[in-house]
Amino acid sequence: MIRILKNFSKRILAALFRRKREIKIGFYGPPNAGKTSLANRICKDWTGEEIGVVSKIPHETRHVQFKEKVEIKHKGRKLTFKIVDTPGIATKIDYEDFMHYGMKKKDSKKRAKEATQGIIESIQWLDDMDAIVVVLDATENPYSQVNITIIGNIVARKIPVLLVANKIDLKNANVKKFESTFPEYELVGISAKEGTNMDEFYEALFRLSKKV
Amino acid sequence: MKIKKLRKELSLQVIPFSEIQNLTISERVKKILNLVLGNKIVILHGRLRPEEEARLIEDTMALVDHVKNFKGIELAVIEPNVKNEGFLTKAKYGIAKRLVGDTNALTLIGPASIIREIKKDPKKIELLLK
């Protein structure tokens, strides 16, 4: 009887401790899908500060950046997160692509070098996450192997995952195509830029946190 | 003239699953990247495990940083669609996958300097060359 009570109180304490601690949530995805835009939107909403710089040129985020103690309140519930924004994962980097955006050769080469290191850093951080939000560009082809590789790696590591189809404010966005490509995962269509559907996103984020 | 040039550059290498079955992650990735660095498009019978795909991307990025003119890889996996199959077929496929690995799939890996894009949807795969 004493042992049962002991175990019960241990479980209660563990549950309380788990609820109080910070949930480390990673934002992963291909380059330019809007990971930093979404992380910025969340951080701005709840701390008043942004996490990083957003740009039209791919690989703007080349180092993992994070914001701690982001307290999110939703429908009477409250959770504290560590928001981890990661560089976009790609299988190729060509410095000449950056030159099409008007960058100088020297700067493009530097950006390419940093981007390759950023991708390695992103992958190495995977194991540190409690849960992951995969941010995908709703205007792109969902069958991209990078998307499949990212999601496959998260699932193989048994990390709870939420998919976000971003950029639904754009005409050619197709959330349904993403839903039919990944039917086994929860997916929310949002526009991080416009703040569309953020309530549904927070609802899904709290559901995701329960799986941690 | 253009066709001649493409033919000269395009080289495919098929790797049967048995050839990589007993290799470690590092050995598998090294074998693939050595071929890709030799400007070959690799057709691997089977598919890499997720952690192997991640390692392939990591090692590729390290090479982009160190090997002149190497811009990375294009990667695609073609798998049989068993989503709409019956329970028995799915179970058979699942058991085989666990026992011997995903040998029903085909993995295409090529240098990004030759392959511009691999377009994939459930019904077709298109290899777009530079």
Side-chain angles (χ1 to χ4, degrees), chain A residues 79-112:
Chain A
L79 282 174
T80 310
F81 294 93
K82 177 174 180 173
I83 304 285
V84 184
D85 180 30
T86 67
I89 295 176
T91 58
K92 58 181 179 184
I93 302 274
D94 187 351
Y95 77 89
E96 285 176 356
D97 290 343
F98 303 134
M99 290 170 72
H100 298 317
Y101 290 89
M103 285 185 78
K104 286 179 183 163
K105 193 174 179 178
K106 196 183 162 194
D107 295 334
S108 298
K109 280 191 167 179
K110 186 173 174 266
R111 192 182 184 93

Side-chain angles (χ1 to χ4, degrees), chain A residues 58-206:
Chain A
H59 298 283
E60 180 63 31
T61 307
R62 299 185 294 283
H63 291 289
V64 170
Q65 47 196 11
F66 50 84
K67 192 164 272 300
E68 290 174 297
K69 295 191 174 70
V70 179
E71 210 177 78
I72 301 180
K73 290 172 193 160
H74 183 73
K75 292 186 179 167
R77 291 168 294 165
K78 190 170 76 180
L79 282 174
T80 310
F81 294 93
K82 177 174 180 173
I83 304 285
V84 184
D85 180 30
T86 67
I89 295 176
T91 58
K92 58 181 179 184
I93 302 274
D94 187 351
Y95 77 89
E96 285 176 356
D97 290 343
F98 303 134
M99 290 170 72
H100 298 317
Y101 290 89
M103 285 185 78
K104 286 179 183 163
K105 193 174 179 178
K106 196 183 162 194
D107 295 334
S108 298
K109 280 191 167 179
K110 186 173 174 266
R111 192 182 184 93
K113 192 178 175 61
E114 289 171 356
T116 59
Q117 288 157 1
I119 291 170
I120 296 172
E121 205 182 320
S122 275
I123 294 171
Q124 287 171 349
W125 269 69
L126 264 175
D127 285 316
D128 284 343
M129 304 300 167
D130 294 323
I132 289 177
V133 174
V134 178
V135 184
L136 305 166
D137 184 337
T139 67
E140 294 284 337
N141 178 11
Y143 300 102
S144 136
Q145 192 58 41
V146 168
N147 295 349
I148 292 160
T149 299
I150 294 170
I151 297 167
N153 267 276
I154 297 166
V155 173
R157 287 167 166 83
K158 296 187 169 35
I159 304 170
V161 62
L162 167 68
L163 308 190
V164 164
N166 188 28
K167 307 190 186 181
I168 59 165
D169 54 302
L170 300 179
K171 260 186 188 170
N172 49 346
N174 190 344
V175 179
K176 281 197 174 141
K177 201 172 173 186
F178 280 79
E179 283 169 343
S180 61
T181 307
F182 305 108
E184 57 272 64
Y185 305 103
E186 180 164 12
L187 188 139
V188 186
I190 64 153
S191 164
K193 191 180 164 193
E194 307 289 337
T196 317
N197 244 2
M198 287 305 286
D199 251 7
E200 201 184 313
F201 168 76
Y202 285 127
E203 188 71 44
L205 186 68
F206 272 62

Side-chain angles (χ1 to χ4, degrees), chain B residues 64-101:
Chain B
V64 170
D65 226 7
H66 291 101
V67 178
K68 206 182 168 189
N69 296 327
F70 181 61
K71 291 165 181 174
I73 56 167
E74 273 292 347
L75 170 73
V77 180
I78 312 155
E79 281 181 297
N81 190 1
V82 288
K83 273 181 194 168
N84 301 323
E85 297 292 338
F87 172 76
L88 271 177
T89 313
K90 273 187 191 169
K92 255 195 313 192
Y93 181 71
I95 292 166
K97 204 171 167 179
R98 276 172 193 275
L99 288 175
V100 291

Side-chain angles (χ1 to χ4, degrees), chain B residues 10-26:
Chain B
L10 194 67
S11 174
L12 302 172
Q13 171 103 25
V14 179
I15 305 181
F17 190 73
S18 56
E19 215 175 298
I20 59 155
Q21 201 171 8
N22 298 318
L23 300 181
T24 63
I25 290 187
S26 306

Side-chain angles (χ1 to χ4, degrees), chain A residues 25-40:
Chain A
I25 197 133
F27 288 76
Y28 276 81
N32 259 26
K35 296 175 291 301
T36 307
S37 295
L38 179 56
N40 274 348

